[in-house]
Amino acid sequence: MRAFNAELSKLFSLPGIWLAFLIGAFAPAVIAALDSTAQKEEIIAGVSTRLPEVGYIGLALGVQGVIILGVLAVSSEFLTESSESGGGKQITTSLTVVSSRLHFLLAKAGAVTVISILLCIVAIMTTVSATHLILGEYAPAFEWSRLTGAVCYWTFTALLAFGITVLTKNGIIPLAVLITNTSFVSFSFLLSKVSTLAFYLPDRAGIDMFMSMSDSFHTPFTGGLVIFVWLAVLFVVAVMVFRRRDVAS
């Protein structure tokens, strides 16, 4: 428990974490508001084919906050400190205090999980408010089962970013790939036009946990199971690599 509390404290001490909170809390609401505005006339006229997605689209595309969170949680450990602080790395101190590397990773992953859940709840509140503000009585019903799927999607995405960063020891590659994939160009979506195997990629399967899209491939449960399997495999590999790695290098 002390290791978990220490990891929470370290996360909140990072300057970049506040950018993650800001993006995570408000980016989904902005995206949902823009989508609601664009769809408003069709929704009022009753001809919109995308009404079930309005609002939820913000939660699907607005996960950058938890991606930053997952990456920062690990990459901050490998940053070289200033010469005044001895020029070392935080990871050396962390593993001196928590000698078990598995315990260390579990504590850090637990901290990322808790913050991701709380951040997604805030994002849901801002997104629902923005959607109702623009659409009023025409706003779609936000179902608890789908909102729970969104919370799981955000949490799993943060942990995927966490695991990838453990492997790379650097935040640039995970940030570039994951943020590009979730906001600009979805590689999974493009690959799905070529092969149905793309529907088993983690981000594509995770979307099916709460989005009602015309090309949905999985049930919410199956989508969650697919992304969980990806996460479990990644975490096992990350633990194996981390336990064998010279963290000082």
Side-chain angles (χ1 to χ4, degrees):
M1 193 64 182
R2 284 184 297 177
F4 170 75
N5 291 333
E7 292 305 325
L8 278 178
S9 178
K10 281 195 289 186
L11 277 175
F12 281 109
S13 69
L14 298 174
I17 204 67
W18 303 108
L19 175 62
F21 291 162
L22 183 65
I23 293 175
F26 296 106
V30 171
I31 294 171
L34 292 173
D35 190 48
S36 298
T37 302
Q39 293 289 314
K40 187 173 183 177
E41 290 187 6
E42 292 186 5
I43 291 173
I44 293 176
V47 297
S48 174
T49 59
R50 294 184 55 249
L51 180 58
E53 297 176 29
V54 173
Y56 291 102
I57 191 72
L59 296 173
L61 299 178
V63 295
Q64 288 81 12
V66 291
I67 289 174
I68 295 173
L69 168 66
V71 170
L72 279 179
V74 179
S75 62
S76 60
E77 295 282 347
F78 294 97
L79 292 176
T80 303
E81 299 175 350
S82 63
S83 56
E84 290 80 3
S85 302
K89 296 180 180 180
Q90 176 64 41
I91 188 67
T92 305
T93 303
S94 297
L95 292 180
T96 301
V97 177
V98 183
S99 57
S100 170
R101 298 195 179 199
L102 177 60
H103 189 190
F104 169 72
L105 283 182
L106 288 175
K108 191 174 282 292
V112 170
T113 297
V114 169
I115 296 178
S116 297
I117 292 173
L118 295 176
L119 187 55
C120 187
I121 291 173
V122 173
I124 287 172
M125 294 171 62
T126 59
T127 300
V128 170
S129 299
T131 304
H132 278 278
L133 179 65
I134 294 174
L135 297 179
E137 61 181 299
Y138 298 99
F142 286 87
E143 304 167 14
W144 283 110
S145 59
R146 295 179 66 186
L147 293 177
T148 301
V151 172
C152 292
Y153 175 66
W154 276 48
T155 304
F156 289 163
T157 300
L159 291 174
L160 284 170
F162 174 92
I164 294 172
T165 311
V166 172
L167 296 177
T168 63
K169 292 204 311 181
N170 187 294
I172 296 178
I173 295 175
L175 277 178
V177 173
L178 294 175
I179 288 183
T180 299
N181 187 61
T182 56
S183 58
F184 298 106
V185 180
S186 173
F187 305 118
S188 300
F189 175 77
L190 295 177
L191 289 173
S192 68
K193 302 301 180 181
V194 179
S195 172
T196 56
L197 291 177
F199 288 102
Y200 290 91
L201 292 173
D203 60 317
R204 188 61 186 81
I207 290 292
D208 285 340
M209 286 194 288
F210 64 98
M211 288 285 287
S212 299
M213 298 186 295
S214 59
D215 62 343
S216 293
F217 190 82
H218 304 285
T219 64
F221 176 78
T222 304
L225 183 61
V226 170
I227 191 173
F228 179 79
V229 170
W230 274 96
L231 182 59
V233 172
L234 176 61
F235 193 81
V236 169
V237 173
V239 170
M240 292 174 61
V241 171
F242 188 65
R243 294 180 70 174
R244 288 172 170 78
R245 174 185 288 157
D246 177 10
V247 297
S249 61

